Amino acid sequence: MFWIELAFKSLLNRRLTVMLTALSIAFSVALFLSVEKIRTDTKDNFSRTLTGTDLVVGARSGSLNLLLYSVFRIGDASNNMSWESYQELSADPAVAWSVPISLGDSHKGYRVIGTTKAYFDHYQYGREQNLAFKEGQSFDQLFDVVIGSEVARALGYPLNQQLSLVHGTGAVSFSKHDDLPFKVVGILAATGTPVDRSLHVSLQAIEAIHLGWKDGVRLQGAEGFSPEKNQKLQTETITAALIGMTSRLKTFNFQRKVNDYTDEPLSAIIPGATLQELWSMLRVLESTLLSISALVMVSGLLGLLTVVLAGLNERRREMALLRALGAPAKHVFSLLCGEAGLIALVGVVVGVCLHYGLMVALAPALLDRFGVLLNISMLAPYLFLWLGLYVLLAAFLGALPALRVYRQTLNDGLSQRI
Amino acid sequence: MQNAIEMTNLSFSWPGSQSPALQVESFAVARSERVFLRGQSGSGKSTLLNLVAGVLDGHQGALHVLGHELANMRPAQRDKLRAEHIGYIFQQFNLLPYLSVLDNTTLACRLSNTRRQRACAANGSVEKAAFALMDELGLERSLAKKPVTALSIGQQQRVAAARALIGGPDLIIADEPTSALDTEHRQKFIEQLLATCADRQVALLFVSHDPGLRQYFDRVVDMNELNRSNSHVLD
Ligand SMILES: Nc1ncnc2c1ncn2[C@@H]1O[C@H](COP(=O)(O)OP(=O)(O)OP(=O)(O)O)[C@@H](O)[C@H]1O
Ligand SMILES: [Mg+2]
């Protein structure tokens, strides 16, 4: 009891340096945990963006490119595929289901997808989870739109909200289709995938808003869509298609068939494999993040060592004094070790709290900006191990100078040297 | 009655040095005796005090402190002997800067139950014992709650003396406790320290360079005569 009190008062006496050290450890721990969390959750989210779909088919391009625009809605398709090819391919007996996707329009920076109702039945993410409606239902009327959770949250759109689409994908665009307002009929539940940041309309709606337009420019004198005229809305091209096979085994055969398709150049990719390929490209980033956080941890420990060493002369006198009062050398030793361990422990605990605070604060922005859905939960067991090791290492580092002082006090006796 | 300190044919060498730093044929301090030990720098005074306090290992010959042969004791037993029966006063840095005057004074009682019980038996409580010593050593009671950093050097040395004396030790070892004081404070401090030691019948082994202090002591011992090792004469 006396020793704990003494250690506590001694620490209190040096509270500024001690607090700064604990804080620097806390920051390094928080940074380490947060980087780890973002890394693992991003990886998890990422590799599960699209599951249950066996193939993604689009105009011929690199597989990463096809994946990026069709699944992540990053960049644009260089070419479209024709509706006839889509029809023909999806009629293959090996195909269980297919969902067409038509991209190219946006609303306030969020991408618009023209598709069919089948999209909501077949799009799967995570552990083969289906999309769910938080409110409303699928589109039914021509100008119905189903919005992702992030779109609803960020723009504050309720059901029945009216909105208009713009051509192109910029947040600001002058070629608006604002003569044709859409109505929100459904809001999807959050998924942590790009679906959250998309608006979904029917293929017919895409055709309707492009009547009288060509290559993103309104044609002079051409007739736009008007509901009264009952114009024919025939889809001629789509951007890509999601395909489910009747059996996984047929995937490779069908993929070859698509890649060898003679009527137009097409590509088919297996999303799982391409997602992994994409992730491995990001591995440099991943390991950079990891080494940064490791370095930060090390610098936290060095800071601790510096503080312990810097206070050593003062402490040597303290130790000589305690020895003169009859304190056993062992107590003096554990006083120094315990102190370093305690600073590290406090630093780690504060760091863990800081980490959770940071994650709670950052979660909406991460979902908003990067589509990373943070799963705020208990620390993973391996992290407990790491943190435990960290505290032990800190106590050990504290023990090194303690050992020096211990030897010196034994050797010098009670002489107070510098 | 046995002597407080008794040494015969004592010799001690620092690790790694060939010639002994200390070689004493015979030296004793009786109970309640106040001895002034003088000698030039490097003559082994502090080494001798450390041996007596039981913090330096590895002497040859006989060294009895308060009836115990230190060579026969384990380190923990020597620590206990020091905690219970010996008070130590340094030249400076005697006090823990984060404790108040009172807490510094009573520190010895917190490290040893025996000291606490003796303080309580003599004065009723540890605090009363501390106040009694403060009175005797000329420290105002209003200083008790102050941080020691607010004291003058002279006051700090008095607190150190009070801390060494609390709980009825049998031996006080003082290693140049007055060298940081000016002449006037030195006289006063030494008078009060010696009076208190005399009152409480505590043996005192006092080291100093200052020959002006010898008049206060029962006996003066010159380290040059005591220490047969001439290694110190070289430097
Ligand atoms: N920790 C140590 N390790 C090795 N040698 C030491 C150590 N401490 C002291 N010595 C040596 O022992 C000898 C006696 O030193 P000591 O400190 O006892 O002298 P002193 O009489 O107390 O001197 P001063 O009056 O300057 O305090 C010196 O030669 C010194 O170099
Ligand atoms: Mg000395």
Side-chain angles (χ1 to χ4, degrees), chain A residues 134-156:
Chain A
K134 203 172 98 196
E135 286 176 76
Q137 72 281 308
S138 176
F139 45 74
D140 209 28
Q141 303 295 308
L142 189 56
F143 288 106
D144 284 354
V145 57
V146 170
I147 60 177
S149 66
E150 195 45 44
V151 178
R153 196 190 64 80
L155 301 178

Side-chain angles (χ1 to χ4, degrees), chain A residues 415-417, chain B residues 40-47 49-50 91 175-176 207 209:
Chain A
S415 318
Q416 294 178 328
R417 285 163 214 282
Chain B
Q40 76 221 52
S41 187
S43 58
K45 303 183 297 290
S46 297
T47 309
L49 297 191
N50 278 320
Q91 183 175 0
D175 196 352
E176 308 187 44
V207 158
H209 291 289

Side-chain angles (χ1 to χ4, degrees), chain A residues 2-3 5-6 9-10 13 317-318 320-329 410-417, chain B residues 14-15 46 50 53 55-56 79 82-83 86 88 90 92-99 103 107-108 110-111 163:
Chain A
F2 167 70
W3 288 103
E5 187 192 324
L6 205 66
K9 283 187 170 157
S10 174
N13 188 45
R317 290 185 204 135
E318 196 178 322
L321 189 63
L322 289 169
R323 288 282 290 145
L325 284 166
L410 278 189
N411 192 31
D412 299 353
L414 301 176
S415 318
Q416 294 178 328
R417 285 163 214 282
Chain B
W14 286 102
S46 297
N50 278 320
V55 281
L56 275 185
D79 290 339
R82 191 164 64 250
I86 300 175
Y88 207 103
F90 292 105
Q92 52 182 340
F93 309 125
N94 267 296
L95 309 172
L96 293 178
Y98 44 87
L99 295 183
D103 287 344
L107 207 51
R110 313 241 6 216
L111 274 148
R163 190 212 47 220

Side-chain angles (χ1 to χ4, degrees), chain A residues 301-357:
Chain A
L301 283 183
L302 285 181
L304 177 72
L305 193 61
T306 314
V307 163
V308 174
L309 282 174
L312 217 55
N313 267 339
E314 209 175 308
R315 313 239 45 211
R316 248 177 105 177
R317 290 185 204 135
E318 196 178 322
M319 297 305 144
L321 189 63
L322 289 169
R323 288 282 290 145
L325 284 166
K330 265 181 268 166
H331 284 173
V332 168
F333 181 64
S334 38
L335 201 63
L336 283 167
C337 275
E339 184 180 305
L342 188 73
I343 295 176
L345 190 67
V346 169
V348 164
V349 169
V350 173
V352 169
C353 296
L354 220 61
H355 159 68
Y356 276 106

Side-chain angles (χ1 to χ4, degrees), chain B residues 125-144:
Chain B
S125 78
V126 171
E127 270 187 35
K128 280 183 190 153
F131 280 126
L133 276 164
M134 283 172 72
D135 290 346
E136 280 182 69
L137 289 162
L139 282 164
E140 284 162 43
R141 287 191 178 205
S142 61
L143 294 175

Side-chain angles (χ1 to χ4, degrees), chain A residues 76-77 80 102-112 164-180 182 205-219 237 239:
Chain A
D76 290 298
N80 286 335
S102 182
L103 300 162
D105 294 294
S106 67
H107 174 73
K108 300 202 169 156
Y110 293 100
R111 299 285 179 116
V112 172
S164 56
L165 310 182
V166 299
H167 193 83
T169 50
V172 180
S173 171
F174 296 104
S175 40
K176 274 194 175 170
H177 304 295
D178 52 5
D179 42 342
L180 302 169
F182 281 78
I206 296 284
E207 289 307 316
I209 59 177
H210 290 103
L211 267 187
W213 290 63
K214 190 161 174 40
D215 296 332
V217 188
R218 195 189 285 267
L219 294 176
T237 61
T239 314

Side-chain angles (χ1 to χ4, degrees), chain A residues 193-213:
Chain A
T193 70
V195 172
D196 294 351
R197 283 168 286 135
S198 306
L199 295 90
H200 309 80
V201 300
S202 65
L203 285 174
Q204 287 75 19
I206 296 284
E207 289 307 316
I209 59 177
H210 290 103
L211 267 187
W213 290 63

